[in-house]
Amino acid sequence: MAGGGFSASGAGGKEFEAKITPIVIISCIMAATGGLMFGYDIGVSGGVTAMDPFLKKFFPTVYKRTKDQGLNSNYCKYDNQGLQLFTSSLYLAGLTATFFASYTTRRLGRRLTMLIAGCFFIVGVILNAAAQDLAMLIIGRILLGCGVGFANQAVPLFLSEIAPTRIRGGLNILFQLNVTIGILFANLVNYGTAKISGGWGWRLSLGLAGFPALLLTLGAIFVVDTPNSLIERGRLEEGKNVLRKIRGTDNIEPEFLELVEASRIAKEVKHPFRNLLQRRNRPQLIISVALQIFQQFTGINAIMFYAPVLFSTLGFGSSAALYSAVITGAVNVLSTVVSIYSVDKLGRRILLLEAGVQMLISQIVIAIILGIKVTDHSDNLSHGWGIFVVVMVCTYVSAFAWSWGPLGWLIPSETFPLETRSAGQSVTVCVNLLFTFVMAQAFLSMLCHFKYGIFLFFSGWIFVMSLFVFFLLPETKNVPIEEMTERVWKQHWLWKRYMVDDDDIDVVKKNGHANGFDPSAQL
């Protein structure tokens, strides 16, 4: 049953009639299970690396170090490149797969790309759960990374294109919500499997990733492809029929014609990646790249990857560390729900700016507490101080969850025009996975060397990114994707200067010099 009928703004002031139809909701939920898989992969690695049987089998050096407190400082117990590679290899593989995913997303469609991601996930899960040595474990993680690359390329595009404009932000954040649910699910699983006698609990933790992998694969089989993708591939009638179904109305001709026109313009672009570098596309590219770098330098993924390890480092017992990770995972989920309800009402900028202040304060407080209470070889964290640290981590996680987490994916997916959207999303995912890999590979070593200063390092970046948002990030709420240039970029104090083609600048310069003045200052 369709519900919530409304009109969404179209090009040139036209109104596109659209309802929130069941097919939109179901398709978005099924597609967003790609986020569930991604989140589970993030959460499960930190949990199993805190389990003694897993460390004893694959990383005996680390296991010995955790049991002999005299070998290293509290901050350096888990500092091991091989252990970090187990976590980070997934993201390096995802980085490589993104380039292939850009092609399949454009030529084969968003739905088939999600199906490919599901297949990679399933094979990777099987290898991880059955791993007999480190090589088998890493290969499984690499295949999971390929799935991440394909899913992160297709799912945000799918959600942005199928959702009506008025609720595009909320539905797109379903991807991020599923990421947080996946992290929480992994933390709960790890908490339970760590108690299994016999030392095989880590296999169950890794094997249960097959559940979200299967959901994504089934979802990709049953959902429809987006009208944008079908029209882009020349299947106009099919695209029109799908648009009619997902909008819940027969009055879809204005929106259909706009999609056809956008597709025609897109087909004139023979080299989308090269086109990304053109002057008029630089604002979207700069903002997308910056958001991905900043998202990772908030420190969130480092904390989520290694939450149990981090809490163990701070003096929590193994069981207490996993329990604390469950709490932060639950806060992550609930706070992402806040973003779903507020992003299309309050806007993107205010959420990012408020969260910057909240994250900055909580990280500085954590750094001060650890600097005073946790030294290299002694832990003076009392029960009360330990709880306070968890509260501060939750305060930090909640701010990220309703801001930089979902909006880091939402804003790039809705700002690129159709002719560069697939290439732009590819660059977005590529940069995100590159810096996710860097953080995953470096965090435990950084924790060893920076100690409590690691939180000051991240808080410094949060201050910088908040300034970036305040001065350079325009508001995109309730703006149809195809109208971004006219209503967003051409209205911004800085980016409007880039809304002139390079060829036009050459013509203006030529005419200007012929008349005896330098037009470059005017541009």
Side-chain angles (χ1 to χ4, degrees):
M1 180 180 69
F6 60 86
S7 294
S9 296
K14 294 188 294 289
E15 297 290 323
F16 294 155
E17 183 180 344
K19 297 177 180 178
I20 307 175
T21 58
I23 192 170
V24 168
I25 303 299
I26 293 172
S27 295
C28 288
I29 291 174
M30 295 301 284
T33 53
L36 187 66
M37 186 68 216
F38 188 24
Y40 191 90
D41 286 331
I42 290 174
V44 76
S45 59
V48 297
T49 53
M51 295 182 188
D52 288 346
F54 179 84
L55 291 176
K56 189 182 297 184
K57 182 174 181 63
F58 296 106
F59 304 99
T61 303
V62 178
Y63 174 74
K64 182 179 179 181
R65 191 182 299 161
T66 60
K67 297 305 177 185
D68 190 340
Q69 298 299 321
L71 288 178
N72 281 97
S73 75
N74 287 324
Y75 290 98
C76 298
K77 290 185 290 187
Y78 293 91
D79 180 18
N80 180 274
Q81 290 300 308
L83 183 62
Q84 292 175 122
L85 182 63
F86 163 68
T87 298
S88 66
S89 58
L90 182 148
Y91 305 98
L92 187 60
L95 170 64
T96 305
T98 295
F99 294 104
F100 298 97
S102 174
Y103 175 84
T104 61
T105 302
R106 187 173 64 256
R107 295 299 179 88
L108 303 180
R110 285 53 161 158
R111 188 184 70 86
L112 191 55
T113 302
M114 290 189 290
L115 182 60
I116 294 171
C119 293
F120 272 122
F121 279 138
I122 290 173
V123 177
V125 166
I126 293 172
L127 286 178
N128 266 355
Q132 297 300 316
D133 52 38
L134 185 58
M136 191 172 177
L137 193 69
I138 296 297
I139 291 173
R141 290 287 288 181
I142 289 174
L143 290 175
L144 289 174
C146 291
V148 166
F150 278 86
N152 282 13
Q153 170 75 14
V155 173
L157 280 181
F158 180 94
L159 296 175
S160 285
E161 292 177 348
I162 206 168
T165 301
R166 191 71 62 84
I167 60 167
R168 185 180 66 233
L171 286 183
N172 193 290
I173 292 175
L174 278 174
F175 178 75
Q176 181 65 22
L177 177 63
N178 275 268
V179 171
T180 63
I181 292 174
I183 293 172
L184 176 59
F185 181 40
N187 289 333
L188 288 169
V189 168
N190 287 332
Y191 183 70
T193 58
K195 301 179 182 298
I196 296 177
S197 59
W200 55 273
W202 62 269
R203 292 191 185 276
L204 182 59
S205 289
L206 297 177
L208 284 177
F211 174 68
L214 188 61
L215 283 180
L216 175 63
T217 306
L218 292 176
I221 292 174
F222 291 110
V223 299
V224 296
D225 216 334
T226 68
N228 310 60
S229 178
L230 293 168
I231 293 169
E232 187 178 21
R233 289 177 285 144
R235 296 156 63 175
L236 300 183
E237 281 304 314
E238 188 176 351
K240 192 172 186 177
N241 290 334
V242 170
L243 184 62
R244 184 178 292 110
K245 288 179 181 178
I246 64 175
R247 295 295 179 249
T249 177
D250 290 327
N251 185 26
I252 47 90
E253 197 67 24
E255 185 174 4
F256 174 73
L257 292 177
E258 182 173 283
L259 293 178
V260 170
E261 176 62 14
S263 178
R264 183 191 66 78
I265 296 173
K267 288 180 180 178
E268 295 177 358
V269 180
K270 302 301 180 184
H271 304 285
F273 283 98
R274 189 185 305 170
N275 193 52
L276 270 179
L277 301 178
Q278 291 184 2
R279 185 179 180 85
R280 68 177 182 273
N281 292 321
R282 287 175 198 167
Q284 301 96 312
L285 181 62
I286 290 170
I287 285 177
S288 295
V289 170
L291 288 179
Q292 303 316 303
I293 296 173
F294 288 151
Q295 187 191 68
Q296 296 312 308
F297 278 93
T298 60
I300 186 66
N301 275 346
I303 291 174
M304 285 302 175
F305 292 153
Y306 300 114
V309 170
L310 177 64
F311 287 122
S312 293
T313 296
L314 302 182
F316 292 74
S318 177
S319 180
L322 288 170
Y323 182 67
S324 299
V326 170
I327 294 174
T328 58
V331 170
N332 199 13
V333 173
L334 295 176
S335 300
T336 304
V337 174
V338 172
S339 186
I340 290 177
Y341 282 102
S342 61
V343 68
D344 289 317
K345 294 181 175 66
L346 300 178
R348 284 65 163 151
R349 278 170 49 86
I350 191 170
L351 288 177
L352 291 171
L353 292 172
E354 185 281 331
V357 175
Q358 187 171 324
M359 289 191 292
L360 182 65
I361 293 173
S362 58
Q363 292 234 20
I364 291 175
V365 170
I366 292 171
I368 292 173
I369 294 173
L370 298 187
I372 296 173
K373 294 293 183 179
V374 180
T375 62
D376 281 347
H377 296 284
S378 66
D379 170 29
N380 295 319
L381 271 181
S382 64
H383 181 70
W385 281 114
I387 292 176
F388 188 64
V389 168
V390 173
V391 170
M392 284 293 99
V393 171
C394 289
T395 301
Y396 162 78
V397 168
S398 66
F400 177 88
W402 64 55
S403 62
W404 284 95
L407 300 185
W409 293 110
L410 170 61
I411 293 172
S413 73
E414 67 183 4
T415 53
F416 285 105
L418 182 60
E419 61 265 27
T420 59
R421 191 169 303 153
S422 181
Q425 182 69 10
S426 181
V427 170
T428 298
V429 175
C430 177
V431 173
N432 185 280
L433 291 177
L434 173 62
F435 282 88
T436 302
F437 166 75
V438 170
M439 279 291 103
Q441 187 64 32
F443 177 71
L444 294 180
S445 297
M446 291 171 66
L447 181 64
C448 178
H449 290 88
F450 288 3
K451 301 180 174 60
Y452 64 88
I454 188 70
F455 292 98
L456 296 177
F457 171 80
F458 289 134
S459 64
W461 276 100
I462 290 171
F463 179 73
V464 171
M465 64 184 70
S466 296
L467 292 178
F468 178 89
V469 171
F470 185 80
F471 289 107
L472 298 178
L473 184 69
E475 183 57 69
T476 56
K477 74 168 183 175
N478 294 335
V479 180
I481 292 179
E482 309 307 336
E483 288 190 39
M484 288 292 171
T485 298
E486 293 296 328
R487 293 175 55 179
V488 174
W489 305 115
K490 288 187 178 181
Q491 306 301 320
H492 191 269
W493 69 273
L494 174 63
W495 304 128
K496 65 182 180 182
R497 304 179 186 182
Y498 291 84
M499 293 298 105
V500 181
D501 289 336
D502 295 320
D503 293 340
D504 295 334
I505 292 176
D506 292 338
V507 171
V508 173
K509 285 183 177 180
K510 182 178 179 180
N511 293 336
H513 286 306
N515 289 304
F517 73 93
D518 182 7
S520 60
Q522 308 299 317
L523 298 172

